[in-house]
Structures are given as C-alpha cells and as structure tokens.
C-alpha cells in the first residue's frame, strides 16, 4: 500500500447530498428539460403540419352533387332511334348539356324554387362540365336508358361546391367572373330543398385527373395506380439487387482499393440530388433505350437507381450488426460461406433490411423531381392496363399530381392538392407501419 | 496445487492424426506463431497451455482453417491431417471443417431453437435420413454434452435463452453432432461451474474413444485431468510438447516450469 491510499477517508453522511452530486443532478435536470423541449418542438411542428394539411385537404374528400330526375329524351340522344351505341356516340357532350340544364330548369320550376337573377346559361353553369360527359358515358354503356327518366346525381360546378365548403363566399363571388351571388343564393335554396348536397367523394380516389375547368371531377385514380406500378418496379428491382450487392460487398468481397472505391461511391450516390437521377433516366432509359415517356417502368427504373443506395447502406449496416461469432459458428460446423450467410446471417439481418427497404420505398413514393424530367407530369386521363403491359402506359404519380394541381389557376385545385397530400401521407404511414410490423414479426422469433 | 495429480493414463494410441510442420502465422506484420512443429495423435486429448496472448487460439484455428476468415491472417508451413495437407489448393475448407469441428472460446449458439442448433450440422451434411434419426442424433449429442436433462423439455426454445454454461454445452453438443474426427475446443469450460466442468471433462474423456481432441485451457488442473499430451506455448513459440505426466512432473524447459508453478503468465 502506498501512502496516497493510506489516507483516512473523509466521513460524510449519506443523508446530505454533496455539492458535487448536487451539481451533477442539476446538469442532468437541465439536459432532460432540453431534451423534452426538443421533442416538444418536433411534435408541435408535426402536429401543425398535419393539422394544416388535413384542414386544407379534407374537403377534397367531399363533393357537392345535384340530384334530380332527368328525362333522357330519345329524339335528342338517339336521333336514328335504333339504340346503336356507335351511332349514338355521334351525339357529343354538347348534346347532353342542354338536356341536363333543361331538366334542372323544369325541376326547379316544379318545385317552386325561385331562380331569381339566374339566367338559363347561369343555371347551366352551376352544373359541372363533367356531368354531361359522365351521363354520355353511362348512356353509351347502357343504350336502354334512353327514353326513360332516371334519377341523376351530377357534379355541381367547382365554385358552387366551394360555396358549401366555405371557399367561395358572397363577397368573393362579387369579384369572381365565374360565379354570381345569385347563383350562390339559388344553390343555398337548392340545398335547403334537398336537391343539392355535399357528401363523401369516392371519386376523388377513383377518378382520373380532370382539366383545369373541372376541378370538381379531378381524382387521383391514375396517379395512385402509377405510383403503385412504380413501387412494384422498385420493389422487384431494388430489393434483390440491393440485398445481393450488400451481401456480396459485406460477406464475400475482398477488402481492397476497388471495393473501398465502390463503397465510397455508393455512399455518395445516396447523397446525389434526385433530379440528377431524373436527368440520367431521361438520357439512358428514354433517349438511349427508347422506353416510352411518362411510363411507370421508366419512373420505377429511375426510382430504383435512387433507392438502391438507401437499401444497400441499410442492408450492409444490418449485416454488419450480426455478430461475427454467428458466422464463425456456422463455418466451424462445416457450413459453406453461402450457407452461413443464408441460414444464419440473413435471417438475423432481415428486420433491418426490411426497414431499410420500406424507408427507401417510402422515399421513392414521395419523390417528384426526377419524375418531372421523364414526363410523368403529363396530363393523363386514361387508366393504364394491368401490369405488365400497364407498366408501359402513360400514367401520373401521386407527388407529381400534387405538384401539378398546385400549378393550376382554380383555387379548388389547391384543396385537391392538399387532399392528394393526405392520400400520400396515408400511404407513407401505412408503409412505415408495415416496416414496424415486419420488424416486430421477425424479431419476435428471437 | 493439491489436485495436480496427473492421471497416469497411457497414451494407448500412437497413430498420427495431425502433423504441423514449421507453421508460422502472421496477423499483418504481427508474428503470432513462430515455426511450430507438433504432432497430434489420434484418439488422444492434447492440451494447449500457455499465458494469455501466446497464440493458443491462433494455432488452434489453423487446424481447421478458421483463420481463413481473417483477412490479414497469413499461414505458412504445412499442416497435415491424415497425411493430407489441409492448406493444399485442392482442399475445400468447408469439407475440412466438417472433419475438424470446433468449440469457440465464447459460447455462440445460433439464435434458433436448441433442437435446430444441434440439428444444423447433421442437416447440412446429410447425416440423417429422416426425422427419427435426426431426433436420435440430437438427443445423443445433448446427452454427451451433459445438457439433455436440462434441455429435453425445451428443445423448441431459443438456444440463446440458456445460461452461459448451458450455451457452451449446447455448442459442444452442436459440434459433436456433426461427427467430426478431430474436435478443437478453445477454453470450453471458462464459463462453466465445477459440476458442468466435470461433466464436460467426462465428455472429453469419452470423446477420446473415437476422436482426437485438442483443448486449449488456462487451468493446469484441467489439462492434467483430461489430457494425455500437453503443449506449452509462450510468445508464439511451442516451448515444450510431451506426455502430460512428463510436462507437469518433469518439465524440460525452465519457462514451462515457471509457468506451471505459477511464476509466469
Ligand atoms: N484477429 C486478429 N488480428 C490481429 N491480431 C490478432 C488477432 N487475433 C489474435 N491476434 C494476436 O495474436 C496473438 C495471439 O492471440 P491468441 O488469440 O491466439 O492468444 P491466446 O493464446 O488464445 O490468448 P488467450 O488465452 O487470452 O485466449 C495476440 O498477440 C493477439 O493480439
Ligand atoms: Mg484464446
């Protein structure tokens, strides 16, 4: 024993907190407060974002409809009288529109609803331009309808719809050349009479996009399908390629300059701005390989390139997290390298790989910039065919649709864009929940 | 050191199993094993003793080419198993390791059920034709590793849920199940209590009837109890190799003597 330790220990009561300990406790409290504040700010920002998006967007899921009986007069819709769809298709939507306006006019008269200050043209303008087109489609599908009186539910014009959602007011209508206060008053009377009502709008999910004059008819159908097809392509390509590349790099590749260079490049790729991938996709897949523009297959390929680094980095990290003793154990039993990787290492790394993949997919789902460059921004009303042919049909994509709608003049599209954002967020939440569930499922095994 | 009684078991077999000739091992520039020559006999327990860091594990790992997995590790010299050079270009280390099994210093069960842990080796080597045979192998191996009584009711539970000592015995059962010709054990008892240690030592003695066993140990008593041959390593050199009784009673080298009497290491 040296002299230094032979010193008699200072006596102190355990009940009295020493200054040093007090200082330590104080700094701990400070740190906790700091942490809580940080989390509080984060949660508040998130809540604000969610509230503002939902507040703006939930109206996109509701739509105003006018429900009236309409007589489908045969002499207008089927002048030849033979109910042949081909011949009937010569009657354009311009033939249907007056029919609707006329029916509405007569119905309002029958119901004793005053149309004060609203000319027949203005009355017709209260019906969406999409309504005659929809009616025409269903008549051509069922020619027997002609000659009957059917109860129709037709879209109201976007401005009228906006009135019931609070977007359009009497005051704003004064200044708006597209709508008059008289029309709004009439709409109110129609709503009171039960002719006009706002209800949940599935068409927002199922309809294709609509032109700038018809925000009330615009839907996300094509965009959702396009995004879904792209995710299929990304999943089918990025997961196997990414996992195979990671396994090779992590488990088989020798450590040398070449693999080091590859590693650095993969990390760099993850940081490349996504628009660069769009330029690459344009140059390679469209200009060089001659794939069609606006097609999900091209979007999927570009997003695959973008997602690969994410998946590779996540997969390598989770492979590296598997203790080397497991590999030794397998090799020591005479398992081949492949067997040790596929029987033992990969199952253990699976939760991490899946999480990385889903995060990569979620990133790809929300990616806009590269898709703009490969023409996914086109106005597409045709639904794509089922895969695999559908992968080559032009489609839109969810985030691009959001971008697209925010560019349009009619404020109704802003509401639609927020609604699309909600759908996009729901998809992301769903995917992240899947990631958590899958991880739990795989981890529960040990 | 009162239980340092050296079992006077004659080495009843003189068949050569493994012969190492001028083996050098380098980790990068570190010279970990220096020109080691050793002959390991069949159906014999050989103990490697020596101070920490002297290269016992390193040399053991050369015997089934587990060092191949370490990038910076370089082995020179010849190691012959049944007169075949295991470092020959024609040799597939996978095939070698099926013959030369290994139990590691730290227990490393697979995160699978106890049953699957033991059954893994037989499965990949196709040692059983059906489930019944596999069950039999698993039971026999667990019995030999003195784990059967504790594990028989929980075969479907994860091997990682066992205690440290039980895990080590599971690893032994797993290695035995593959039916190796040589079993390399790197401090298999360092995590075991005296009872389990005694059971493992019994197992080692039993294994001797069929295999050649090489065991690294820090316990001189253990080396004395279980082995017939002992090799003493010091700073990467094989200082002395001979019958266990001779090493412990009549060491030829002063370093050996210092070590076994507790003066170095
Ligand atoms: N993977 C490795 N990389 C570099 N050097 C290593 C590696 N493994 C072992 N060494 C070095 O080789 C030498 C021998 O190590 P080894 O593990 O064989 O010792 P040991 O005799 O088994 O010791 P212990 O009794 O503590 O297990 C040590 O100096 C060690 O630092
Ligand atoms: Mg060791």
């Amino acid at each position: 024993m040296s002299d230094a330790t032979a010193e008699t220990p200072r006596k102190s009561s355990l009940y009295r907190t020493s200054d040093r300990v007090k200082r330590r406790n104080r700094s701990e409290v400070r740190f906790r407060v700091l942490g809580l504040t940080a989390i509080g700010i984060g949660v508040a920002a998130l809540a604000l974002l969610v509230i503002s998006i939902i507040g703006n967007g939930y109206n996109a899921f509701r739509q105003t409809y006018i429900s009236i009986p309409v007589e489908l007069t045969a002499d207008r819709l089927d002048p030849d009288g033979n109910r042949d769809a081909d011949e009937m298709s010569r009657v354009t939507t311009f033939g249907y529109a007056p029919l609707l306006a006329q029916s509405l006019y007569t119905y309002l008269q029958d119901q004793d609803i005053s149309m004060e200050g609203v000319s027949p043209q203005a009355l017709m303008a209260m019906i969406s331009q999409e309504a005659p087109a929809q009616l025409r489609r269903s008549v051509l599908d069922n020619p027997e309808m002609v000659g009957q009186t059917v109860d129709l539910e037709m879209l109201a014009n976007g401005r009228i719809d906006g009135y019931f959602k609070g977007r359009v007011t009497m005051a704003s209508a004064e200044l708006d050349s597209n709508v008059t206060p008289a029309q709004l008053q009439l709409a109110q009377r129609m709503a009171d009479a039960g002719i006009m009502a706002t209800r949940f709008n599935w068409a927002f999910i199922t309809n294709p996009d609509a032109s700038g004059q018809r925000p009330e008819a615009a839907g996300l159908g094509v965009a959702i399908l396009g995004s879904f097809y792209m995710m299929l392509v990304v999943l089918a390509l990025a997961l196997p390629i990414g996992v195979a590349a990671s396994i090779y790099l992590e488990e088989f590749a020798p450590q040398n300059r070449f693999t080091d260079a590859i590693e650095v490049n993969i990390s760099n790729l993850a940081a490349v701005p996504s628009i660069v991938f769009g330029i690459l996709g344009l140059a390679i897949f469209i200009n060089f390989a001659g794939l069609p523009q606006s097609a999900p297959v091209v979007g999927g390929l570009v997003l695959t390139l973008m997602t690969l680094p994410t998946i590779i980095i996540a997969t390598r990290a989770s492979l590296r997290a598997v203790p080397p003793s497991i590999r030794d154990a397998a090799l020591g039993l005479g398992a081949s390298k492949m067997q040790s990787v596929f029987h033992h290492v990969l199952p253990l790394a699976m939760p991490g790989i899946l999480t990385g993949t889903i995060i990569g997919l979620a990133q790809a789902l929300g990616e806009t910039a590269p898709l703009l460059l490969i023409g996914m921004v086109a106005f597409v009303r045709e639904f794509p065919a089922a895969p695999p042919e559908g992968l080559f049909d032009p489609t839109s994509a969810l985030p691009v649709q959001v971008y697209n709608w925010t560019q349009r003049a009619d404020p109704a599209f802003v509401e639609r864009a927020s609604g699309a954002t909600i759908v996009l967020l729901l998809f992301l939440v769903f995917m992240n929940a899947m990631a958590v569930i899958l991880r739990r499922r795989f981890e529960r095994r040990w | 050191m009162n239980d340092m009684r050296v079992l006077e078991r004659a080495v009843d077999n003189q068949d050569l199993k493994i012969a190492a000739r001028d083996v050098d091992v380098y980790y990068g520039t570190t010279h970990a094993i220096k020109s080691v020559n050793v002959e390991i006999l069949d159906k014999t327990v050989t103990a490697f003793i020596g101070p920490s860091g002297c290269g016992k594990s390193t040399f053991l790992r050369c015997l089934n080419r587990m060092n191949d997995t370490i990038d910076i590790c370089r082995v020179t010299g010849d190691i012959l198993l049944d007169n075949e050079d295991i470092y020959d270009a024609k040799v597939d280390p996978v095939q070698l390791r099926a013959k030369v099994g290994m139990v590691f210093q730290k227990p490393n069960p697979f995160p699978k059920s106890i049953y699957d842990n033991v059954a893994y080796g037989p499965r990949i080597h196709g040692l059983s034709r059906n489930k019944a045979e596999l069950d039999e192998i698993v039971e026999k191996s667990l019995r030999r590793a003195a784990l059967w009584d504790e594990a028989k009711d929980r075969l479907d539970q994860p091997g990682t849920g066992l205690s440290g000592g039980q895990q080590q015995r599971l690893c032994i059962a797993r290695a035995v199940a593959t039916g190796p010709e040589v079993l390399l054990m790197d401090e298999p008892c360092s995590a075991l209590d005296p009872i389990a240690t005694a059971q493992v030592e019994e197992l080692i003695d039993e294994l001797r009837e069929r295999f050649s066993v090489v065991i690294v140990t820090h316990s001189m008593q253990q080396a004395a109890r279980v082995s017939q041959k002992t090799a003493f390593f010091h700073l990467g050199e094989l200082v002395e190799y001979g019958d266990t009784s001779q090493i412990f009673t009549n060491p030829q080298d002063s370093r050996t003597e210092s070590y076994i009497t507790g003066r170095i290491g």
Side-chain angles (χ1 to χ4, degrees):
Chain A
M1 279 278 164
S2 69
D3 289 342
T5 53
E7 224 175 86
T8 46
R10 262 180 303 140
K11 286 250 170 10
S12 70
S13 163
L14 274 179
Y15 295 128
R16 231 195 98 258
T17 322
S18 76
D19 288 344
R20 181 176 277 275
V21 172
K22 267 188 203 144
R23 256 204 315 279
R24 230 158 37 192
N25 290 347
R26 269 201 304 277
S27 80
E28 195 170 312
V29 167
R30 269 200 304 278
F31 183 76
R32 274 200 221 171
V33 170
L34 215 68
L36 279 175
T37 323
I39 289 178
I41 292 174
V43 169
L46 185 68
L48 207 70
L49 179 79
V50 168
I51 289 171
S52 89
I53 288 177
I54 290 181
N56 280 325
Y58 93 107
N59 272 331
F61 294 91
R62 294 160 66 240
Q63 202 62 49
T64 308
Y65 289 86
I66 305 171
S67 323
I68 52 161
V70 174
E71 197 199 343
L72 304 173
T73 45
D75 51 336
R76 260 177 187 278
L77 303 184
D78 187 14
D80 302 337
N82 54 12
R83 303 289 188 270
D84 179 47
D86 275 345
E87 294 189 9
M88 282 162 64
S89 69
R90 285 208 303 268
V91 181
T92 62
T93 47
F94 294 112
Y96 285 81
L99 190 74
L100 290 178
Q102 187 59 45
S103 302
L104 182 57
Y105 186 80
T106 2
Y107 188 71
L108 290 182
Q109 263 184 341
D110 289 352
Q111 301 283 312
D112 262 346
I113 294 173
S114 142
M115 283 172 275
E116 191 193 342
V118 180
S119 67
Q121 280 81 7
L123 183 66
M124 186 165 156
M126 289 173 68
I127 305 171
S128 164
Q129 295 178 16
E130 185 71 12
Q134 279 173 357
L135 177 61
R136 179 171 178 267
R137 272 198 294 276
S138 56
V139 166
L140 291 184
D141 283 348
N142 302 301
E144 319 80 70
M145 282 166 73
V146 174
Q148 297 174 359
T149 302
V150 293
D151 280 322
L152 261 196
E153 203 170 46
M154 39 195 195
L155 282 166
N157 179 280
R159 291 279 156 45
I160 305 297
D161 176 54
Y163 171 67
F164 290 103
K165 294 172 178 172
R167 193 175 62 233
V168 176
T169 60
M170 294 295 170
S172 75
E174 297 276 8
L175 308 170
D176 192 337
S177 61
N178 290 314
V179 68
T180 62
Q183 282 177 315
L184 296 185
Q185 278 153 7
L186 174 58
Q188 186 60 55
R189 284 193 295 277
M190 284 165 74
D192 293 342
I195 301 172
M196 198 180 265
T198 306
R199 62 165 173 76
F200 189 77
N201 178 27
W202 279 112
F204 181 57
I205 310 284
T206 54
N207 265 10
D209 193 7
S211 68
Q213 281 78 49
R214 308 172 182 178
E216 61 277 2
L220 286 170
V222 174
I224 290 178
L225 267 184
S227 278
F228 178 68
Y229 284 5
M230 285 197 295
M231 290 305 108
L232 284 186
V233 174
V234 174
L235 192 65
L237 292 178
L239 183 62
I241 296 177
V243 171
S246 320
I247 290 179
Y248 178 76
L249 284 174
E250 203 55 46
E251 304 285 339
F252 294 92
Q255 278 285 329
N256 55 29
R257 287 241 186 84
F258 184 62
T259 48
D260 282 352
I262 288 181
E263 190 163 347
V264 170
N265 277 308
I266 288 175
S267 308
N268 282 343
L269 270 189
V272 167
S274 56
I275 193 134
V276 176
F277 285 101
I279 297 172
L280 185 78
L282 181 64
I284 293 182
F285 299 127
I286 295 182
N287 291 344
F288 179 71
L291 289 170
Q293 282 190 23
S294 313
V297 68
V298 180
L301 285 170
V302 170
L303 294 179
T304 298
L305 289 181
M306 244 193 64
T307 315
L308 264 178
T310 314
I311 293 185
I312 291 181
I313 289 171
T315 304
R316 292 188 68 182
S318 45
L319 286 176
R320 222 171 295 151
V322 175
S325 64
I326 296 293
R327 297 179 180 85
D328 283 351
L331 294 180
L333 286 176
S336 67
K337 191 94 192 176
M338 278 267 291
Q339 285 173 325
S340 105
V341 170
F342 281 91
H343 295 166
H344 302 291
V345 178
L346 207 52
L348 287 176
M350 217 48 188
I353 296 176
L354 287 176
T355 313
T357 306
I358 292 178
I359 288 174
L361 277 185
Q363 228 176 28
L365 182 66
E367 198 53 65
T368 326
L371 302 183
L372 298 181
L373 285 175
I374 56 162
M376 298 287 286
V377 74
F379 175 71
V380 184
R381 276 192 56 83
E382 291 296 312
F383 280 92
E389 299 85 40
L391 298 179
F392 296 88
D393 292 343
T395 57
S396 180
L398 270 176
V400 179
Q401 194 70 71
V402 173
Y403 167 79
N404 219 335
W405 281 346
T406 52
Q407 302 288 302
R408 298 207 186 153
D410 195 318
F413 277 112
V414 175
E415 168 192 296
R416 286 264 189 287
S418 295
T421 313
I422 293 179
V423 173
L424 187 57
L425 282 181
L426 283 179
F427 275 108
L428 293 179
V429 167
F430 171 75
M431 287 171 87
N432 287 328
M434 283 299 291
V436 172
I437 289 171
L438 282 175
R439 190 163 51 195
R440 287 271 166 76
R441 165 74 45 89
F442 274 93
E443 262 169 8
R444 181 146 4 110
R445 284 167 52 192
W446 316 112
Chain B
M1 288 234 177
N2 45 8
D3 72 337
M4 277 285 283
R5 46 204 160 84
V6 172
L7 287 184
E8 289 296 337
R9 271 181 309 219
V11 178
D12 40 43
N13 185 301
Q14 295 296 335
D15 290 345
L16 196 57
K17 190 68 186 172
I18 298 177
R21 308 253 158 79
D22 295 326
V23 174
D24 283 88
V25 182
Y26 304 86
Y27 289 111
T29 52
T30 319
H31 198 172
I33 292 288
K34 295 165 190 158
S35 194
V36 166
N37 285 285
V38 73
E39 297 192 331
I40 290 165
L41 303 179
D42 200 9
K43 300 188 169 56
T44 306
V45 179
T46 307
F48 287 176
I49 59 171
S52 187
C54 66
K56 307 179 293 291
S57 299
T58 301
F59 186 67
L60 199 69
R61 291 165 60 91
C62 291
L63 301 182
N64 69 345
R65 291 186 60 173
M66 279 304 283
N67 280 335
D68 290 12
T69 62
I70 301 172
D71 276 343
I72 56 168
C73 183
R74 198 158 53 80
V75 180
T76 63
D78 296 325
I79 297 177
L80 308 177
L81 174 72
D82 292 331
N83 279 319
E84 293 171 337
D85 184 1
I86 64 169
Y87 280 91
D88 192 279
K90 289 195 289 288
V91 173
D92 184 348
V94 168
Q95 215 172 328
L96 168 71
R97 288 180 202 134
K99 283 184 166 206
V100 184
M102 182 152 200
V103 177
F104 294 84
Q105 198 160 352
K106 271 186 246 144
N108 54 355
F110 299 127
K112 295 181 189 293
S113 72
I114 294 177
Y115 184 94
D116 287 340
N117 260 284
V118 182
Y120 183 69
R123 275 194 186 126
I124 59 172
H125 297 301
L127 299 185
S128 62
R129 278 186 300 270
N130 51 40
K131 178 89 170 71
E133 272 185 28
L134 192 59
D135 286 349
E136 200 185 306
I137 294 178
V138 170
E139 176 174 345
K140 210 166 74 194
S141 309
L142 284 171
R143 276 191 195 285
R144 296 183 120 183
L147 191 60
W148 176 251
D149 290 333
E150 287 148 89
K152 65 170 181 280
D153 298 323
R154 44 194 286 200
L155 289 178
D156 54 346
Q157 283 173 32
T160 38
L162 296 170
S163 79
Q166 289 171 328
Q167 288 186 14
Q168 188 61 296
R169 278 178 283 154
L170 179 60
C171 293
I172 295 174
R174 187 175 66 184
V176 171
T178 314
E181 297 171 20
V182 179
L183 190 59
L184 310 176
M185 302 173 110
D186 197 344
E187 293 181 48
C189 299
S190 57
L192 300 191
D193 67 31
I195 296 170
T197 303
Q199 285 167 332
V200 171
E201 285 175 5
E202 219 169 281
L203 162 73
I204 294 172
D205 202 45
E206 197 184 303
L207 294 176
R208 182 165 71 98
E209 287 168 17
R210 303 201 293 132
F211 316 132
S212 169
V213 179
V214 183
I215 175 171
V216 171
T217 177
H218 275 290
S219 156
M220 246 75 71
Q221 292 91 325
Q222 185 171 55
R225 282 196 301 267
V226 300
S227 71
Q228 290 82 52
K229 289 285 208 175
T230 297
F232 171 64
F233 286 83
H234 188 239
L235 298 178
E237 281 173 63
L238 177 63
V239 174
E240 195 167 351
Y241 177 57
D243 286 352
T244 302
S245 49
Q246 174 255 312
I247 297 272
F248 280 99
T249 52
N250 185 20
Q252 302 296 303
D253 195 286
S254 60
R255 286 171 291 180
T256 317
E257 190 178 3
S258 320
Y259 182 70
I260 60 176
T261 54
R263 267 181 281 134
I264 56 171

